[in-house]
Amino acid sequence: MVLEATMIALDNSEAMRNGDYAPTRFQAQADAVNLLCGAKTQANPENTVGVMTMGGANASVIVTPTADLGKILTALHGLPLEGKLNATGLQVAQLALKHRQNKNQRQRIVFFAGSLLEVETKALVKIGKKLKKNNVACDVIAFGETEENSEKLEAFITAVNSNDNSHLVTVPAGDQILSDVLITSPIMQGDGEGTSAFAAAAAAGSAAAAAGGLAGAEGLDQFGIDPSVDPELALALRVSMEEERARQERAAKEAEGGEGGEGGEGAAGEGGPSAAPADDAQPMEADEDALLQQALAMSMAGGDAMPAAAPAEAEEEVDDDLAKAMAMSVEGTGAAGASDAGTGGDLNDLVSGLPGVDVNDPALQAALAASLEEDMKDADAAEEKDSE
């Protein structure tokens, strides 16, 4: 996966208004630039692409190398068409690449030559040698005035080429769409180090279109799309349809492979591919039933534990209240010297008024009787002491 900074040099001269490439030369160039920018930025997340214009008296950098594809595409709208093609502006592209932020990126210029080159061959060769000296590769896409520019552009590519890192792609006028030709060109395929997924999908879509498949013009008729009117949308539909076709074919192959691998085992008994899901479903249902039973048991255990804990708390409260009542009874008996029957009746009334206390409980009756006996003994002792 190549790490690369790319400057795209656009031809925005007056000659780009010609309609020999649908719909115009400039629009066909814009579609190709959209495709190229998408392929470059998706090939490597750290790749950057810049855009500059070559028409008019001076070359102008519109967007410095950036990874923001939206910024690049926005800059392509509303570009003016002016003057003639100024090929010497390639030196400006080289300077823009020289000041790139990531110095580890390789440098590349993609030059769209869609009109007549008026610069001399000697000057182009000199520029090419300078680019080669600075390790800048250059791809040239020649269309429009292909015959007039062929000799100059071939000399330029020969001068700039180093280890086959620069390419010349010529697209003559006719039925071919510029972006379709660019898809299968070495410019999109890279330097032999792997093709980006975007370019591969686009190439597959283009091949299917050429073969007359669903991605071709006939397949686009069902959507009401005319490739000659909106080639960018047509290309996007081709790529999308081809990706869907590839996905379906891959799924079909995986299904066939799965059936072939399980066919021998399924022939020996009823445990074929269709029976496997049913066998797997039974343990799942059993596990769910076991989990449900466990949850119910825990719920019931928790419900039983709560009522069991409540009486314990009530007994503690009763014990405390009983102790207080007995203490009050003893104090009242000692202070007033009341009769045994009256004391017992008052104590029974006091205990029976406590919440949650059963006065008929044998244990409680025994405790009350013991308390009364002690009170009687204390009273007798007090009387004997007074009589003495």
Side-chain angles (χ1 to χ4, degrees), residues 280-296:
D280 295 340
Q282 293 179 357
M284 292 178 64
E285 293 178 357
D287 294 341
E288 291 180 357
D289 294 339
L291 291 174
L292 181 58
Q293 293 295 335
Q294 184 178 0
L296 290 174

PDB file of all heavy atoms in Angstrom, residues 280-296:
ATOM      1  N   ASP A 280     -29.207 -28.611  17.357  1.00  0.00           N
ATOM      2  CA  ASP A 280     -28.651 -27.527  18.157  1.00  0.00           C
ATOM      3  C   ASP A 280     -29.729 -26.795  18.924  1.00  0.00           C
ATOM      4  O   ASP A 280     -29.482 -26.239  20.000  1.00  0.00           O
ATOM      5  CB  ASP A 280     -27.904 -26.537  17.247  1.00  0.00           C
ATOM      6  CG  ASP A 280     -26.683 -27.200  16.608  1.00  0.00           C
ATOM      7  OD1 ASP A 280     -26.240 -28.232  17.150  1.00  0.00           O
ATOM      8  OD2 ASP A 280     -26.213 -26.688  15.572  1.00  0.00           O
ATOM      9  N   ALA A 281     -30.964 -26.794  18.377  1.00  0.00           N
ATOM     10  CA  ALA A 281     -32.042 -26.048  19.027  1.00  0.00           C
ATOM     11  C   ALA A 281     -32.494 -26.727  20.309  1.00  0.00           C
ATOM     12  O   ALA A 281     -32.884 -26.063  21.267  1.00  0.00           O
ATOM     13  CB  ALA A 281     -33.223 -25.886  18.072  1.00  0.00           C
ATOM     14  N   GLN A 282     -32.448 -28.092  20.336  1.00  0.00           N
ATOM     15  CA  GLN A 282     -32.913 -28.800  21.519  1.00  0.00           C
ATOM     16  C   GLN A 282     -32.075 -28.492  22.756  1.00  0.00           C
ATOM     17  O   GLN A 282     -32.622 -28.195  23.820  1.00  0.00           O
ATOM     18  CB  GLN A 282     -32.943 -30.305  21.247  1.00  0.00           C
ATOM     19  CG  GLN A 282     -33.998 -30.696  20.210  1.00  0.00           C
ATOM     20  CD  GLN A 282     -33.991 -32.172  19.941  1.00  0.00           C
ATOM     21  OE1 GLN A 282     -33.163 -32.910  20.476  1.00  0.00           O
ATOM     22  NE2 GLN A 282     -34.911 -32.626  19.095  1.00  0.00           N
ATOM     23  N   PRO A 283     -30.735 -28.551  22.699  1.00  0.00           N
ATOM     24  CA  PRO A 283     -29.971 -28.168  23.895  1.00  0.00           C
ATOM     25  C   PRO A 283     -30.226 -26.733  24.322  1.00  0.00           C
ATOM     26  O   PRO A 283     -30.242 -26.427  25.515  1.00  0.00           O
ATOM     27  CB  PRO A 283     -28.518 -28.369  23.454  1.00  0.00           C
ATOM     28  CG  PRO A 283     -28.597 -29.355  22.345  1.00  0.00           C
ATOM     29  CD  PRO A 283     -29.886 -29.081  21.651  1.00  0.00           C
ATOM     30  N   MET A 284     -30.431 -25.849  23.350  1.00  0.00           N
ATOM     31  CA  MET A 284     -30.700 -24.461  23.697  1.00  0.00           C
ATOM     32  C   MET A 284     -32.005 -24.342  24.475  1.00  0.00           C
ATOM     33  O   MET A 284     -32.088 -23.628  25.480  1.00  0.00           O
ATOM     34  CB  MET A 284     -30.747 -23.609  22.433  1.00  0.00           C
ATOM     35  CG  MET A 284     -29.401 -23.479  21.734  1.00  0.00           C
ATOM     36  SD  MET A 284     -29.519 -22.521  20.231  1.00  0.00           S
ATOM     37  CE  MET A 284     -30.008 -20.945  20.901  1.00  0.00           C
ATOM     38  N   GLU A 285     -33.053 -25.066  24.008  1.00  0.00           N
ATOM     39  CA  GLU A 285     -34.322 -25.027  24.713  1.00  0.00           C
ATOM     40  C   GLU A 285     -34.187 -25.640  26.112  1.00  0.00           C
ATOM     41  O   GLU A 285     -34.772 -25.141  27.088  1.00  0.00           O
ATOM     42  CB  GLU A 285     -35.380 -25.778  23.910  1.00  0.00           C
ATOM     43  CG  GLU A 285     -35.728 -25.086  22.570  1.00  0.00           C
ATOM     44  CD  GLU A 285     -36.744 -25.873  21.792  1.00  0.00           C
ATOM     45  OE1 GLU A 285     -37.116 -26.968  22.265  1.00  0.00           O
ATOM     46  OE2 GLU A 285     -37.170 -25.407  20.713  1.00  0.00           O
ATOM     47  N   ALA A 286     -33.413 -26.727  26.229  1.00  0.00           N
ATOM     48  CA  ALA A 286     -33.214 -27.355  27.537  1.00  0.00           C
ATOM     49  C   ALA A 286     -32.508 -26.400  28.494  1.00  0.00           C
ATOM     50  O   ALA A 286     -32.848 -26.316  29.672  1.00  0.00           O
ATOM     51  CB  ALA A 286     -32.406 -28.648  27.383  1.00  0.00           C
ATOM     52  N   ASP A 287     -31.509 -25.698  27.981  1.00  0.00           N
ATOM     53  CA  ASP A 287     -30.802 -24.737  28.826  1.00  0.00           C
ATOM     54  C   ASP A 287     -31.740 -23.627  29.286  1.00  0.00           C
ATOM     55  O   ASP A 287     -31.682 -23.191  30.440  1.00  0.00           O
ATOM     56  CB  ASP A 287     -29.615 -24.136  28.058  1.00  0.00           C
ATOM     57  CG  ASP A 287     -28.553 -25.192  27.768  1.00  0.00           C
ATOM     58  OD1 ASP A 287     -28.566 -26.235  28.452  1.00  0.00           O
ATOM     59  OD2 ASP A 287     -27.732 -24.968  26.860  1.00  0.00           O
ATOM     60  N   GLU A 288     -32.589 -23.157  28.391  1.00  0.00           N
ATOM     61  CA  GLU A 288     -33.531 -22.109  28.762  1.00  0.00           C
ATOM     62  C   GLU A 288     -34.501 -22.592  29.838  1.00  0.00           C
ATOM     63  O   GLU A 288     -34.813 -21.856  30.794  1.00  0.00           O
ATOM     64  CB  GLU A 288     -34.298 -21.640  27.528  1.00  0.00           C
ATOM     65  CG  GLU A 288     -33.421 -20.879  26.529  1.00  0.00           C
ATOM     66  CD  GLU A 288     -34.203 -20.439  25.319  1.00  0.00           C
ATOM     67  OE1 GLU A 288     -35.404 -20.783  25.253  1.00  0.00           O
ATOM     68  OE2 GLU A 288     -33.642 -19.765  24.446  1.00  0.00           O
ATOM     69  N   ASP A 289     -35.000 -23.843  29.710  1.00  0.00           N
ATOM     70  CA  ASP A 289     -35.899 -24.389  30.720  1.00  0.00           C
ATOM     71  C   ASP A 289     -35.201 -24.504  32.074  1.00  0.00           C
ATOM     72  O   ASP A 289     -35.781 -24.193  33.124  1.00  0.00           O
ATOM     73  CB  ASP A 289     -36.415 -25.768  30.286  1.00  0.00           C
ATOM     74  CG  ASP A 289     -37.308 -25.657  29.051  1.00  0.00           C
ATOM     75  OD1 ASP A 289     -37.813 -24.550  28.806  1.00  0.00           O
ATOM     76  OD2 ASP A 289     -37.485 -26.673  28.346  1.00  0.00           O
ATOM     77  N   ALA A 290     -33.941 -24.967  32.043  1.00  0.00           N
ATOM     78  CA  ALA A 290     -33.206 -25.110  33.303  1.00  0.00           C
ATOM     79  C   ALA A 290     -33.001 -23.757  33.972  1.00  0.00           C
ATOM     80  O   ALA A 290     -33.144 -23.617  35.187  1.00  0.00           O
ATOM     81  CB  ALA A 290     -31.849 -25.787  33.046  1.00  0.00           C
ATOM     82  N   LEU A 291     -32.664 -22.737  33.171  1.00  0.00           N
ATOM     83  CA  LEU A 291     -32.476 -21.400  33.720  1.00  0.00           C
ATOM     84  C   LEU A 291     -33.790 -20.852  34.302  1.00  0.00           C
ATOM     85  O   LEU A 291     -33.799 -20.193  35.356  1.00  0.00           O
ATOM     86  CB  LEU A 291     -31.951 -20.452  32.643  1.00  0.00           C
ATOM     87  CG  LEU A 291     -30.519 -20.717  32.177  1.00  0.00           C
ATOM     88  CD1 LEU A 291     -30.172 -19.798  31.014  1.00  0.00           C
ATOM     89  CD2 LEU A 291     -29.525 -20.502  33.313  1.00  0.00           C
ATOM     90  N   LEU A 292     -34.905 -21.135  33.613  1.00  0.00           N
ATOM     91  CA  LEU A 292     -36.194 -20.676  34.106  1.00  0.00           C
ATOM     92  C   LEU A 292     -36.552 -21.337  35.429  1.00  0.00           C
ATOM     93  O   LEU A 292     -37.022 -20.681  36.375  1.00  0.00           O
ATOM     94  CB  LEU A 292     -37.270 -20.963  33.055  1.00  0.00           C
ATOM     95  CG  LEU A 292     -38.691 -20.512  33.395  1.00  0.00           C
ATOM     96  CD1 LEU A 292     -38.722 -19.004  33.648  1.00  0.00           C
ATOM     97  CD2 LEU A 292     -39.661 -20.884  32.274  1.00  0.00           C
ATOM     98  N   GLN A 293     -36.325 -22.664  35.519  1.00  0.00           N
ATOM     99  CA  GLN A 293     -36.610 -23.373  36.762  1.00  0.00           C
ATOM    100  C   GLN A 293     -35.744 -22.854  37.912  1.00  0.00           C
ATOM    101  O   GLN A 293     -36.198 -22.687  39.047  1.00  0.00           O
ATOM    102  CB  GLN A 293     -36.373 -24.886  36.570  1.00  0.00           C
ATOM    103  CG  GLN A 293     -37.356 -25.549  35.610  1.00  0.00           C
ATOM    104  CD  GLN A 293     -38.785 -25.521  36.148  1.00  0.00           C
ATOM    105  OE1 GLN A 293     -38.993 -25.444  37.366  1.00  0.00           O
ATOM    106  NE2 GLN A 293     -39.766 -25.591  35.262  1.00  0.00           N
ATOM    107  N   GLN A 294     -34.478 -22.568  37.594  1.00  0.00           N
ATOM    108  CA  GLN A 294     -33.575 -22.053  38.617  1.00  0.00           C
ATOM    109  C   GLN A 294     -34.032 -20.680  39.107  1.00  0.00           C
ATOM    110  O   GLN A 294     -33.993 -20.378  40.301  1.00  0.00           O
ATOM    111  CB  GLN A 294     -32.157 -21.975  38.053  1.00  0.00           C
ATOM    112  CG  GLN A 294     -31.124 -21.529  39.073  1.00  0.00           C
ATOM    113  CD  GLN A 294     -29.732 -21.513  38.481  1.00  0.00           C
ATOM    114  OE1 GLN A 294     -29.558 -21.845  37.316  1.00  0.00           O
ATOM    115  NE2 GLN A 294     -28.742 -21.150  39.282  1.00  0.00           N
ATOM    116  N   ALA A 295     -34.472 -19.844  38.160  1.00  0.00           N
ATOM    117  CA  ALA A 295     -34.952 -18.513  38.540  1.00  0.00           C
ATOM    118  C   ALA A 295     -36.191 -18.595  39.420  1.00  0.00           C
ATOM    119  O   ALA A 295     -36.330 -17.873  40.413  1.00  0.00           O
ATOM    120  CB  ALA A 295     -35.244 -17.693  37.286  1.00  0.00           C
ATOM    121  N   LEU A 296     -37.122 -19.528  39.063  1.00  0.00           N
ATOM    122  CA  LEU A 296     -38.325 -19.698  39.883  1.00  0.00           C
ATOM    123  C   LEU A 296     -37.971 -20.190  41.283  1.00  0.00           C
ATOM    124  O   LEU A 296     -38.538 -19.728  42.285  1.00  0.00           O
ATOM    125  CB  LEU A 296     -39.285 -20.674  39.197  1.00  0.00           C
ATOM    126  CG  LEU A 296     -39.964 -20.163  37.913  1.00  0.00           C
ATOM    127  CD1 LEU A 296     -40.760 -21.278  37.254  1.00  0.00           C
ATOM    128  CD2 LEU A 296     -40.888 -18.983  38.235  1.00  0.00           C
TER     129      LEU A 296
END
